[in-house]
Amino acid sequence: MESRSFFGSFNPIHMGHLVIANIMQDRTDLDEVWFIVSPQNPFKKRKSLLHEFDRLKMVELAIEDHFQFRAMDIEFHMPKPSYTVDTLTYLTDKYPQHEFKLIIGGDNLTHFHKWKNCDQILENYGLYVYPRPGESKKIEHENVCYVDAPLIDISATFIRNSIQNGYSVKYLLPSLVEDYIKGKKFYAY
């Protein structure tokens, strides 16, 4: 059984994440998409990052009606910051019946060579890459697959800034996620 890992801060999860996950599940050979909520990305500052359990809850709310999506808290129990290669190794050990691939946006390829053990990720797992605005770098490797998907330019930063400034985020977030954010008064709602 194949699964795919979609890592992210998901601060918050938004419609762009869900569209990409759905396309990956529908147009590739995967059986499931596992949303790995990262407590701390080594390349991002923690300044506006919600608590990991709140971000996990938002992912659970966003995917609750999609049986081929799973929210995972695996990195909550690992050393921080989280490194993708370590999580993939852990997943492989814990779930040997699954084969894991990494889903990433094409904009991540520019800095992929800086990732911890990036060659090991390519050789042992591989990448499913979706298009992102401004991407230019390509990695030619037998374990890299470029998947045709819509160019979606929705960012969590845009959503957080919109909320902070009192603008609507309707259609950018699943309604259950928006309700959760409002109820908790996150991002100064």
Side-chain angles (χ1 to χ4, degrees), residues 36-60:
I36 310 293
V37 179
S38 300
Q40 182 184 353
N41 179 322
F43 294 108
K44 291 185 178 179
K45 297 195 185 328
R46 291 187 55 95
K47 188 171 84 174
S48 64
L49 198 59
L50 292 181
H51 191 277
E52 58 208 42
F53 290 110
D54 289 310
R55 291 181 287 117
L56 176 65
K57 180 64 177 175
M58 288 189 286
V59 172
E60 290 169 345

Side-chain angles (χ1 to χ4, degrees), residues 4 6 17-33 69 102-105 127-131 145-149:
R4 297 292 188 270
F6 196 4
H17 295 127
L18 298 173
V19 168
I20 293 301
N22 191 62
I23 284 174
M24 290 294 176
Q25 190 279 313
D26 185 54
R27 298 185 185 188
T28 66
D29 57 352
L30 63 87
D31 297 304
E32 296 179 325
V33 174
F69 291 174
L102 179 63
I103 298 171
I104 66 171
L127 308 175
Y128 272 33
V129 182
Y130 60 90
C145 178
Y146 294 91
V147 179
D148 186 30

Side-chain angles (χ1 to χ4, degrees), residues 5 7 34-39 52-53 56 70-80 82-84 86-95 100:
S5 302
F7 288 73
W34 291 13
F35 289 78
I36 310 293
V37 179
S38 300
E52 58 208 42
F53 290 110
L56 176 65
R70 292 180 63 185
M72 306 295 286
D73 67 354
I74 285 171
E75 288 192 345
F76 295 12
H77 315 288
M78 297 177 68
K80 293 170 184 68
S82 309
Y83 292 97
T84 302
D86 296 334
T87 306
L88 287 168
T89 301
Y90 178 83
L91 285 167
T92 301
D93 290 345
K94 185 167 175 130
Y95 303 98
F100 292 95

